Amino acid sequence: MTRSPANLAWAQIGFSIGKCVRTSSLLIQALEQYPDAFQPTTQGQAADISKEQQAIPETFPRHGHGSAGDGKGALDVQEALSILRKLEKPRKRPIRSVKPSGVTGTAVYYAKEAFNLLFMNGPPQEQPLVVQTSAQKLSPPLSKAVKLLERAAEERNPDAIHLLAEMNFYGNYTHPRNFAEAFRRFNDLANLTGNSSAQYMIGFMYGTGIGDAVERDQAKALLYHTFAALGGDVRSEMTVAFRHHAGIGTPRNCEEAAFYYKRVADKGIRYSRDGPPGGQALVREAYSLADVDGGVYGEGASVSSSGVNAIRGGPNSDTHAAFEDVLEYLDLMSRKGDLKATFSLGRLHYEGSRVLNRNLRKAKAYFMVVAKRYWARDGRIIAGNTSDIEKIAAKAAGYLGRMYFRGEGVDQNFEKASIWFKRGIANGDPLCQYSMGLMYLRGLGVPKDVIKASDYFREAADQDFASAQVRLGVLFLDQGDLQTAIRYFELATRHGHIEAYYHLAEMSNQGIGMGRSCGTATTYYKIVAEKAEPIHSPFLEANLAYDDGDKELALIDFMMAAEQGYEVSQANVAYLLDGEKSRISLDRLLPWTKESPSLIKSAALALVYWTRSAKQKNIDSMVKMGDYYLGGFGTDVDTEKAATCYQSAAETHQSALALWNLGWMHENGIGIEQDFHLAKRFYDQALEINSQEAYLPVTLSLLKLRARSFWNTITNGRVNSIRSEPEPKKEWSFSEWIHNFIEDEHPYYHDADDDLTDPQIHDPMHGGDDFYDEIDEGVIESLVILVLAAALAFLVYYRQVRQQNHRRTVEQQGNADRGPAPAAQQGQQQVPGQQPDGGFFPPPGDPNFNQWVAGGVGH
């Protein structure tokens, strides 16, 4: 069935506002505000939609300058843009140090950590999400630009309205934030042109209630996001998909979630395949802020930094070294001729990270140092190299060839790329094999040859190279070998390859090679969409703002990504909203100081994002939910919900803190039944999961618990006290018992063998026979049972004999009293050789008894 955008939109509207009380008024408002919501009416909107449909990763227009257009007020907008360009400051990512090194740096670091634990670890206080909007004096250039834009906005110029809205929302060009004014401007722009970006911003503000500009309304948020998504806004497509996937403001709908996630995934794959050969390099910008500080609860208490996830290392190891120290150490080893260190430096500079910007020039220099140690200028292999140098040189050749192949840091040159690839292939490097196969597949610098390409892909795939596995899967898919294609795609998903997930999503969604599964397809589409960060997510801007210390701007950007369904961003938003209130406030110590309102204070909103993060399997977020319900932060106190959250986190067997909390609740009877024995069990489990960091708190808790349990026992308290756990015994079936009895090597046999080898046995003065004293008690019990059984059988037999003799005596006496029977009757009753007493054998004293004993002589 083909979907009609208009029909889908109205279906979404009716479905979304069905849960809203003001259904009629909201529908009328939608009809009045968006009569042409599905077709762009301005050149600016058409350009905006075309860019998003082509999935071109542009920086979001908060820092962009837009286009003045050709309508009224265009000259004012152009003049304002020329002024604003001079006010904009370039922003570069600072290099962050995860943990300082040295005596002084370490002392300062741990002093800061102690201060945070003592004074900055309290729960957030509920305050509205509003910033101070008092009049702030603008600089003369900024004031002139704002006046020009306001004059153009009065003439209904959409670009001027858009610039004013974003300046008030983001605080661009040092303009003060005013969310109420921003909402008014976005609303005017949406009513004027049906602009999808404006609709997205209105939906975002309704969904979060940020700035207290509007009341939170999830139905309206879904409505505006749906309009924007159908207008081509990829950010709203992500948001609508996640809301249908998680059931936010609407019942969960797998088909709708798959539909919107597929739209984003299609754009993400187009962007990934675009650019240089091999596709765009998708650099991951989604980082967890809490993990940098050791987790939500700090290092050792959070799941991300405790138990199996804890970073272990001795006092002389570099486990806890700062990144700058690692770079310095690698550089030192490289100068000493260590090729592994040299190659590692090249790879770090080539790939980059959050704490190190990419530097292709340095990367190429390091790779060349490694290559020159193995190959001469004419390509001849230098003699005397070991196998380790051979492997490292092959990897360096792969990266050098890739840089020439893709034109990264050097001019694109397929010929030089082929030379380096062939050198690496001679030593079996999978990157070189895959890249050479790609050149033959597309005919880049070499004749096009699919057969040779597949051979190279297979060699690289055999070494578990994900990109080669995907290429092989596509080739098998084109040939109709679906199962082999699926197998290669699944192998590549272990390395997180975006195209592998996309192909599996398409096959699962259409039921090709497997049964159709909407849930599986939605999950794969969601992974693909979230990997395509550059086309819709503001993580780069958020990280830059956070590193610059602008936490309010970072919060806004993280909230946008959180609304799109990123779990890491949901946790970041909750973490920012959670950790900014001191347990001992400076306002109490310094009464004359007044704290200005801030965005980063809202316990209710923090609970919302802790909940969304927990639903996406974040265990620390689940524990935080329990803390909020237990303490009544942002909600009413609900100890039962708190216990449920802790229990859900404890079932994963990863959070020692959740288990400790359950033990504490059982010990004190808060939310659940008071039970000292169960409390001890949970404390013990917490210690089993995290035996190092949890040792001290669990030990102290157990000491207190045992004291309370002892007092409860001697005073006959009603609480279940601590008791010894019975050892579990396995119930064996009869066949298992027989098998184990036969297979068991009985201990008394081994004891006898040990006695034979005991030197004391050969001692001539050795007295006593201890062998029989060491017979297993089980054997004696078996002998006793056999004797008792034999005695019982004898008693039964003896009783039967007594009964037979008694019966014979009674019959003989009866016959004697009646006299001899008639002959006819005797002929009928007697059997030849049978005596009148009815016995076959003559009794003692009978004249025939001796003859019977002698063998019947005389018969």
Side-chain angles (χ1 to χ4, degrees):
M1 179 179 178
T2 306
R3 292 173 180 260
S4 171
N7 293 336
L8 177 63
W10 292 116
Q12 291 284 353
I13 295 169
F15 190 67
S16 303
I17 65 178
K19 297 174 68 68
C20 182
V21 179
R22 303 177 299 278
T23 304
S24 300
S25 61
L26 185 57
L27 183 58
I28 294 173
Q29 180 183 1
L31 289 170
E32 291 177 350
Q33 292 185 356
Y34 302 101
D36 301 318
F38 307 113
Q39 44 184 320
T41 57
T42 66
Q43 181 180 359
Q45 182 192 8
D48 181 30
I49 294 175
S50 64
K51 284 185 179 180
E52 290 171 340
Q53 289 177 343
Q54 294 173 6
I56 298 177
E58 296 286 350
T59 303
F60 295 119
R62 73 195 69 166
H63 298 299
H65 304 125
S67 173
D70 299 326
K72 295 181 179 180
L75 295 178
D76 291 336
V77 174
Q78 289 179 357
E79 184 177 356
L81 285 174
S82 63
I83 297 174
L84 294 176
R85 288 191 184 99
K86 299 177 182 178
L87 298 177
E88 185 177 13
K89 296 180 180 180
R91 303 176 64 186
K92 295 183 180 180
R93 168 178 295 179
I95 297 179
R96 289 173 49 89
S97 177
V98 177
K99 184 179 291 187
S101 59
V103 178
T104 304
T106 304
V108 171
Y109 173 80
Y110 283 106
K112 180 182 177 182
E113 289 296 312
F115 179 79
N116 289 334
L117 290 175
L118 293 173
F119 303 109
M120 299 295 292
N121 200 31
Q125 301 296 321
E126 182 60 32
Q127 293 188 14
L129 283 176
V130 61
V131 294
Q132 189 173 2
T133 57
S134 58
Q136 178 178 344
K137 186 176 181 181
L138 305 180
S139 63
L142 180 60
S143 178
K144 181 179 179 180
V146 169
K147 290 180 180 179
L148 290 171
L149 292 175
E150 289 178 347
R151 187 169 64 185
E154 292 176 357
E155 298 179 358
R156 315 299 292 171
N157 184 286
D159 292 322
I161 299 174
H162 187 264
L163 282 171
L164 287 172
E166 293 207 330
M167 290 170 66
N168 281 280
F169 187 86
Y170 293 107
N172 296 341
Y173 314 109
T174 68
H175 192 282
R177 293 190 181 98
N178 189 328
F179 292 103
E181 178 66 16
F183 180 81
R184 185 179 71 84
R185 294 290 185 181
F186 282 128
N187 192 55
D188 291 343
L189 182 60
N191 292 336
L192 178 64
T193 65
N195 182 276
S196 60
S197 295
Q199 293 168 350
Y200 163 75
M201 294 302 300
I202 295 174
F204 172 76
M205 297 183 78
Y206 270 122
T208 60
I210 190 169
D212 204 27
V214 291
E215 183 180 357
R216 291 179 62 197
D217 191 325
Q218 301 301 334
K220 285 185 177 181
L222 181 60
L223 172 67
Y224 280 100
H225 279 305
T226 302
F227 277 125
L230 296 173
D233 190 283
V234 67
R235 298 168 294 176
S236 284
E237 288 175 344
M238 280 286 291
T239 305
V240 173
F242 177 69
R243 285 177 172 263
H244 283 293
H245 180 63
I248 300 175
T250 180
R252 297 184 64 180
N253 191 322
C254 181
E255 295 295 336
E256 294 300 322
F259 172 73
Y260 284 105
Y261 272 132
K262 174 176 168 52
R263 292 180 60 152
V264 182
D266 291 341
K267 297 176 182 179
I269 285 296
R270 284 199 298 270
Y271 168 73
S272 175
R273 294 172 179 173
D274 194 13
Q280 295 282 357
L282 297 177
V283 180
R284 184 174 180 268
E285 297 288 349
Y287 297 99
S288 173
L289 300 179
D291 289 349
V292 177
D293 300 327
V296 173
Y297 291 97
E299 190 170 353
S302 306
V303 174
S304 60
S305 62
S306 63
V308 296
N309 299 320
I311 301 176
R312 308 295 184 191
N316 298 324
S317 68
D318 59 350
T319 304
H320 299 281
F323 187 77
E324 293 86 349
D325 294 338
V326 174
L327 284 180
E328 184 178 354
Y329 173 77
L330 290 176
D331 183 67
L332 176 64
M333 297 304 295
S334 175
R335 294 176 184 273
K336 291 182 177 181
D338 189 341
L339 293 184
K340 289 184 179 180
T342 305
F343 174 78
S344 298
L345 284 171
R347 187 170 179 178
L348 285 173
H349 285 288
Y350 178 81
E351 296 177 352
S353 66
R354 187 183 179 187
V355 295
L356 181 67
N357 295 325
R358 294 187 73 187
N359 191 324
L360 297 176
R361 182 182 60 82
K362 285 187 177 181
K364 179 177 178 292
Y366 284 120
F367 291 142
M368 287 298 298
V369 170
V370 177
K372 288 179 178 179
R373 285 282 301 274
Y374 187 77
W375 289 288
R377 182 178 294 273
D378 57 357
R380 177 177 48 84
I381 299 176
I382 300 175
N385 290 316
T386 62
S387 59
D388 293 338
I389 297 179
E390 182 178 292
K391 294 179 180 179
I392 297 174
K395 293 180 180 180
Y399 278 97
L400 287 170
R402 179 179 175 85
M403 295 178 73
Y404 280 108
F405 186 47
R406 296 167 56 86
E408 295 176 327
V410 294
D411 295 333
Q412 192 174 41
N413 191 320
F414 293 144
E415 183 179 356
K416 289 185 178 181
S418 177
I419 293 173
W420 286 112
F421 289 150
K422 289 178 180 179
R423 291 179 179 179
I425 289 173
N427 293 332
D429 181 66
L431 175 58
C432 295
Q433 293 167 347
Y434 161 74
S435 301
M436 200 69 195
L438 198 61
M439 294 182 73
Y440 276 107
L441 181 66
R442 297 183 177 178
L444 301 175
V446 294
K448 189 173 182 179
D449 192 333
V450 179
I451 303 299
K452 283 187 177 181
S454 62
D455 292 338
Y456 282 119
F457 290 150
R458 184 174 289 104
E459 292 177 1
D462 291 341
Q463 300 188 57
D464 204 19
F465 196 77
S467 297
Q469 291 168 344
V470 171
R471 294 297 175 184
L472 270 182
V474 172
L475 291 176
F476 280 110
L477 184 63
D478 293 339
Q479 296 174 3
D481 191 347
L482 302 180
Q483 297 306 316
T484 304
I486 292 174
R487 181 170 62 86
Y488 277 112
F489 291 146
E490 290 177 345
L491 288 173
T493 56
R494 295 181 297 113
H495 303 279
H497 201 283
I498 183 173
E499 286 210 32
Y501 282 113
Y502 180 76
H503 288 297
L504 288 175
E506 290 283 86
M507 298 177 75
S508 180
N509 190 38
Q510 301 177 25
I512 299 176
M514 62 182 74
R516 186 182 185 277
S517 174
C518 178
T520 303
T522 302
T523 301
Y524 285 144
Y525 280 136
K526 184 176 186 290
I527 294 174
V528 175
E530 290 184 352
K531 284 182 175 293
E533 294 177 7
I535 69 173
H536 54 68
S537 298
F539 278 112
L540 180 60
E541 292 286 334
N543 292 334
L544 288 173
Y546 185 80
D547 293 340
D548 289 343
D550 191 350
K551 293 187 177 181
E552 290 188 353
L553 179 58
L555 176 67
I556 293 172
D557 290 329
F558 281 130
M559 287 179 73
M560 288 182 171
E563 290 292 304
Q564 295 171 8
Y566 282 92
E567 185 279 320
V568 65
S569 192
Q570 292 167 352
N572 286 346
V573 172
Y575 183 69
L576 288 173
L577 294 171
D578 177 82
E580 291 297 323
K581 182 64 180 177
S582 303
R583 188 175 294 274
I584 302 177
S585 177
L586 294 178
D587 296 340
R588 300 178 181 178
L589 301 178
L590 304 176
W592 59 86
T593 62
K594 293 184 179 180
E595 189 175 7
S596 60
S598 173
L599 283 175
I600 312 180
K601 286 179 181 134
S602 177
L605 195 60
L607 178 58
V608 169
Y609 286 105
W610 284 131
T611 304
R612 294 182 184 179
S613 174
K615 288 183 177 180
Q616 299 197 64
K617 311 303 181 184
N618 188 313
I619 301 173
D620 284 333
S621 297
M622 182 69 71
V623 180
K624 268 293 184 181
M625 281 180 61
D627 294 346
Y628 273 57
Y629 284 118
L630 183 63
F633 307 131
T635 184
D636 297 331
V637 175
D638 194 331
T639 55
E640 293 184 359
K641 283 186 178 180
T644 302
C645 293
Y646 294 144
Q647 185 65 42
S648 300
E651 288 175 353
T652 62
H653 298 286
Q654 296 184 35
S655 177
L657 185 58
L659 291 166
W660 189 92
N661 288 342
L662 283 174
W664 179 83
M665 296 182 77
H666 272 294
E667 179 183 353
N668 297 280
I670 297 177
I672 47 183
E673 182 182 0
Q674 190 175 16
D675 192 321
F676 292 154
H677 184 71
L678 286 179
K680 179 183 180 300
R681 182 177 298 176
F682 281 114
Y683 286 147
D684 290 340
Q685 291 179 1
L687 190 60
E688 290 176 3
I689 291 177
N690 191 352
S691 59
Q692 295 190 12
E693 291 85 355
Y695 177 78
L696 180 60
V698 170
T699 302
L700 296 176
S701 299
L702 285 174
L703 290 175
K704 179 170 68 72
L705 178 64
R706 288 187 180 277
R708 295 184 64 181
S709 178
F710 174 74
W711 180 257
N712 178 74
T713 302
I714 63 177
T715 57
N716 295 323
R718 298 181 179 180
V719 184
N720 185 22
S721 298
I722 299 175
R723 60 184 184 276
S724 59
E725 294 281 357
E727 295 183 1
K729 294 183 178 180
K730 183 180 184 300
E731 296 294 336
W732 287 348
S733 64
F734 181 75
S735 60
E736 290 177 341
W737 186 87
I738 294 295
H739 175 75
N740 292 331
F741 181 80
I742 295 174
E743 296 294 332
D744 185 24
E745 297 180 356
H746 298 286
Y748 47 87
Y749 294 151
H750 295 286
D751 293 341
D753 295 338
D754 294 339
D755 291 340
L756 292 176
T757 59
D758 192 345
Q760 294 183 357
I761 294 179
H762 303 285
D763 186 359
M765 299 302 294
H766 179 69
D769 190 359
D770 297 334
F771 174 74
Y772 295 102
D773 296 335
E774 297 177 358
I775 296 179
D776 187 76
E777 294 180 357
V779 178
I780 297 176
E781 293 177 357
S782 301
L783 293 176
V784 172
I785 292 173
L786 291 175
V787 172
L788 292 176
L792 180 62
F794 174 77
L795 291 174
V796 172
Y797 172 76
Y798 180 74
R799 182 174 179 274
Q800 292 178 350
V801 171
R802 289 286 303 272
Q803 289 178 349
Q804 290 178 0
N805 291 336
H806 178 71
R807 187 169 54 251
R808 289 174 183 175
T809 304
V810 173
E811 290 177 355
Q812 289 177 359
Q813 292 177 356
N815 292 335
D817 293 340
R818 289 193 298 269
Q825 185 177 0
Q826 291 180 1
Q828 294 177 359
Q829 293 180 354
Q830 293 182 356
V831 179
Q834 182 178 2
Q835 302 299 323
D837 62 355
F840 281 94
F841 311 117
D846 191 279
N848 295 324
F849 179 75
N850 294 330
Q851 296 179 2
W852 173 77
V853 173
V857 180
H859 285 275

